[in-house]
Amino acid sequence: MSFARFIIKRSLQGIFVVWGVVTVVFLLRFSTPGDPITFIAPLDASPELRQRIAEELGLNQPLYVQYFDYLTGLLTGDMGYSYISGTEAATRIFARVPATVELAVAATVVAIVISIPLGVISATRRHEPADYAATTFSLAGISTPNFWLGIMLVLVFAVQLNFLPTSRRPVGIVQAVEVLVLSGNYAGIVLWLQHITLPAITLGTYFTALVTRLTRSGMLDELGKSYVDAARAKGLPETLVRYKHALRNTLIPVITVLGLQLGTLIGGAVITEAVFAWPGLGTLVINSINTRDWPLIQGCLIVIGSSFVFVNIAVDALYAYVNPQVVYD
Amino acid sequence: MTDDRQSRVSRRRYLQLAGGAAATAALAGCSNDSGELNTETPAEGANDSAGGGGGGNDTDSSDDQNNQESGEFAVTITQGQMDSGLDPHDHRETTTDIIVMQMYEGALDRDREGQVIEGLAENYEQAEPNRVRLTIREGVTFHNGDELTPQDVAFSINRIVNPDVGNLASPQSDQLAGITEAQVVDGERAVDVISDGVNPMAIGLLASYGDVMQQSWVESNDNSYINSNANGTGPFQLSNYVQDERVEYTKYEEYWREPAAVDALTITSASESSTRVNQLVSGETDIIVNVPPQEVSRINSNESTRVEAVPSTRIIYNGMRYDVEPFSNLQFRRAMNYAVDINTIVSEVLSDFADATGQPTLEGFTGYNPNIDPYPYDVEQAEQLVEESGFAGATIELHTPVGRYLKDLEIAQAVVGYINELSNVEASVNQRDFGALAGELTTGNIEDMPHWYLIGWGNETFDASQTLIPLLTTDGALSSWSNDQFDQLVSQAGQTANADERESLFQEANQLAHDQAPWIFLNRQYSVYGASSRIEWQARRDESIKAYEIMQP
């Protein structure tokens, strides 16, 4: 099967997965307690006012009609309107995507920059202090709840040391780069770095620890294989043996995990976003759940689910680059 | 040897990487970001200097430092949530109110203690039992420079009460209860506000609700534009609006009163209370809302921050359904009140950020009865009343929301704990999702309501009627009680134009409610804020935050 056919096949599968997500999320709405009208209308609103609101929002329609309307709307990019503010759900949701993607990517970068060198050192210096330190670090990282880590980082680096800001995202990376390109002013980039550092470390720590362990075990496995002995026998420098041959093969499972984790980070940044008042999808989901703003909840979950599907397809495609032996079927 | 050499190389490379990361962090942490003011694109607002606040931080506070260097007084307020849009007539939440009230104002207003004062109307009178006359102030301009007219005031009131005006079925229509329309008075700079009958509440309602918009501006823009732009007469004008993130304002120099002391204002949000507190103590914001009692000491122990607490307009109570046993019995309901030590709950659970109540109307409201004290804590009396009621051995369950009100679950647990101290009643807590609980309370059918529940009620009108009618009259939207005498008293009060008589009738109704105990009377919630010492500001009773009242020390 050609690469193009593989991508088409996976994309079609992805569409069915997203449809499944849409259906499950839509049905969830009817199985959870709490009438959205309770949050829209004042507590002492008359039954007539409640009825009027229900009619305006289409909540008095039969379930299948609401489902069909929602599906047809989605096909045209219409995710409905926020129950609370009356604004377009799609506009609200996509305005939040950059912040979440920025955070997820930054956390991934933090993880890669720290974990892969750490994993390699740990594997090549097995049973030495560096290995124990790296193993301990990864154990601690995996065991630390990120809401606690986030709060601690804020207390130490922002509140006590005044080294970094506690929270918020006053500028996005796109905007900062735009200013840099147009005016040569790097202040926006610095400001962005100041604000994203702690959230990225918080979100990336678990990931860092995971990839460190994965890299270590993969490297140990590869370094014990015969092709490594052959490479050494040929007189290749150890650096090339480790980084060009062994590490490249180690990266195949690492890339799989990176891809899956990037999807997880996009969907799982909820707590980190709340701790750092980061205006991404996570905080929007929480606020929307608190007010039963179902068009926003549904839209966010669909975007998160779709990003999972997309990232997985992209990861599969990346295999070809990393390992030409991969056969698409 | 090769391994060692390679190890050294690896270490060096690793250190290079780590050094790069550290340098990045150091750059982020230490760089002088004096260029921050220029990071906003012009399209996003010309005045990013509104961002940041507080001093003492070398990161976000750089704005403030810049502002101080330029003599500008910039203030940031952090709420729990942002707005649902900027249309002043298209929302019901306090969070949106606070964002909108910096730009819009009504014909009448309230002072910090809740007393009615003039706003855009320089004079007001109850011309007839069903008519209030507002004399509109001259020399007031909207932020677009156009002058305020009586037509704008009438249009704004009509836009709220009449769904055919201004392309909006306003969710605030019931806030102006009884008011049917507003008319410009021929030949005078005045507006008559008409009610459908005797409406002694009208002036009070107009002081709490009814922001004034410019008719021509509303009619020439669609709702989406109105929800993301602003054109009021208030002390601040909109400079930058990023929905769900922040709202930035600048002082309106042509304001009809003295221009505000604050030059630039930013309102932003953080849903986590600990995040808000961190922002405050780090000097990144100047006012934060909803400080939980456990964070109070952290704020007070910081030399540049303080706690501002004020009794709010919200009462917390336990409703008991009069139509089901054992709550149908008067002795049993009174016993529940004697069983709960509300003063200890106020001091221990709420850290004294609350007042004990003994009647539905709060102190300072029209109709409050100063002769009523909270029920005393008397276990013996409670047990005796339970025995007399014939419901000894009763098992009851308290339905409570979690996280909706200050320490709501802890209050419910304390109440249940006290009742369990009685030898003849067994109580338990049922933690409920607020939406589900509120849904059961608001169906209009008493049989859908839990038998015993904790709920809170805010009343910004400072008038007993807006508590007694919805919560305790037989037809009240949230009532789980019925008493003919009480209904009659409230009805009489609603039909009299005599203020003294009205007050007296409400006081009598409050006494009856105390005696009949349809609720376990709990506490008046406080609004607890954190504030920076770089601003002079006092919290208001009506839960609003008016940046116009903020001064430089």
Side-chain angles (χ1 to χ4, degrees), chain A residues 3 6-7 255 312-323 326 328:
Chain A
F3 179 70
F6 169 78
I7 293 295
I255 285 175
N312 271 295
I313 294 172
V315 166
D316 287 346
L318 258 181
Y319 271 20
Y321 173 75
V322 180
N323 187 355
V326 168
Y328 298 105

Side-chain angles (χ1 to χ4, degrees), chain B residues 85-380:
Chain B
L86 297 182
D87 187 334
H89 301 158
D90 194 11
H91 69 273
R92 285 287 295 241
E93 333 81 55
T94 305
T95 47
T96 301
D97 243 358
I98 289 171
I99 284 171
V100 165
M101 69 175 53
Q102 318 303 335
M103 303 176 288
Y104 291 96
E105 51 195 350
L108 301 178
D109 202 350
R110 289 186 185 275
D111 64 17
R112 214 175 62 80
E113 299 302 320
Q115 298 304 307
V116 177
I117 58 173
E118 294 83 5
L120 296 178
E122 62 184 3
N123 198 10
Y124 62 93
E125 60 171 332
Q126 185 84 44
E128 290 174 28
N130 71 333
R131 186 163 59 89
V132 172
R133 175 157 294 186
L134 305 168
T135 307
I136 306 306
R137 198 177 292 278
E138 286 188 90
V140 176
T141 56
F142 288 98
H143 297 156
N144 62 2
D146 295 345
E147 192 160 339
L148 169 75
T149 65
Q151 283 79 6
D152 294 320
V153 177
F155 167 79
S156 298
I157 293 169
N158 288 330
R159 188 171 185 249
I160 295 172
V161 300
N162 185 346
D164 297 327
V165 174
N167 193 26
L168 178 76
S170 173
Q172 300 169 2
S173 56
D174 62 323
Q175 287 181 326
L176 294 181
I179 294 175
T180 52
E181 65 171 325
Q183 298 171 343
V184 176
V185 180
D186 285 340
E188 292 186 44
R189 195 174 168 79
V191 170
D192 276 349
V193 180
I194 317 290
S195 297
D196 56 3
V198 177
N199 191 353
M201 275 290 295
I203 288 174
L205 296 174
L206 289 168
S208 295
Y209 312 111
D211 285 336
V212 173
M213 303 178 79
Q214 186 182 18
Q215 181 173 2
S216 59
W217 186 77
V218 172
E219 289 177 342
S220 59
N221 292 298
D222 61 24
N223 285 353
S224 171
Y225 184 86
I226 293 168
N227 260 313
S228 54
N229 291 273
N231 179 39
T233 59
F236 294 92
Q237 53 188 345
L238 185 68
S239 65
N240 185 25
Y241 178 60
V242 185
Q243 188 168 28
D244 296 332
E245 286 190 36
R246 63 186 183 276
V247 184
E248 295 170 359
Y249 315 79
T250 51
K251 167 166 67 178
Y252 182 47
E253 296 286 359
E254 307 304 319
Y255 188 46
W256 57 273
R257 286 189 278 189
E258 282 293 309
V262 173
D263 295 303
L265 171 69
T266 300
I267 299 183
T268 183
S269 74
S271 57
E272 281 298 305
S273 58
S274 63
T275 305
R276 294 195 295 272
V277 174
N278 286 334
Q279 287 183 356
L280 181 70
V281 298
S282 303
E284 294 171 17
T285 190
D286 300 295
I287 295 175
I288 61 170
V289 303
N290 298 339
V291 174
Q294 68 270 19
E295 296 276 18
V296 166
S297 61
R298 188 150 79 98
I299 293 174
N300 279 334
S301 62
N302 185 312
E303 60 182 20
S304 61
T305 56
R306 67 183 189 279
V307 166
E308 282 278 339
V310 67
S312 76
T313 57
R314 191 172 300 277
I315 188 169
I316 308 295
Y317 65 95
N318 281 176
M320 295 178 278
R321 260 176 64 178
Y322 80 106
D323 61 328
V324 291
E325 294 178 347
F327 302 114
S328 54
N329 185 281
L330 173 61
Q331 281 105 322
F332 190 87
R333 294 197 304 265
R334 288 173 63 87
M336 295 302 99
N337 275 281
Y338 281 115
V340 175
D341 185 355
I342 185 60
N343 289 317
T344 300
I345 290 176
V346 165
S347 62
E348 299 303 317
V349 176
L350 294 161
S351 305
D352 285 322
F353 289 118
D355 291 326
T357 63
Q359 60 184 303
T361 301
L362 297 172
E363 189 177 357
F365 281 40
T366 301
Y368 171 75
N369 189 332
N371 300 318
I372 300 173
D373 289 325
Y375 276 86
Y377 176 49
D378 189 336
V379 175
E380 284 182 17

Side-chain angles (χ1 to χ4, degrees), chain A residues 162 166-167 194-195 239 275 292, chain B residues 6 28 56 58 60 275 279 433:
Chain A
N162 266 351
T166 61
S167 52
Q194 287 173 338
H195 283 267
T239 312
V275 169
R292 299 297 187 281
Chain B
Q6 292 306 327
D58 60 352
D60 263 14
T275 305
Q279 287 183 356
D433 169 81

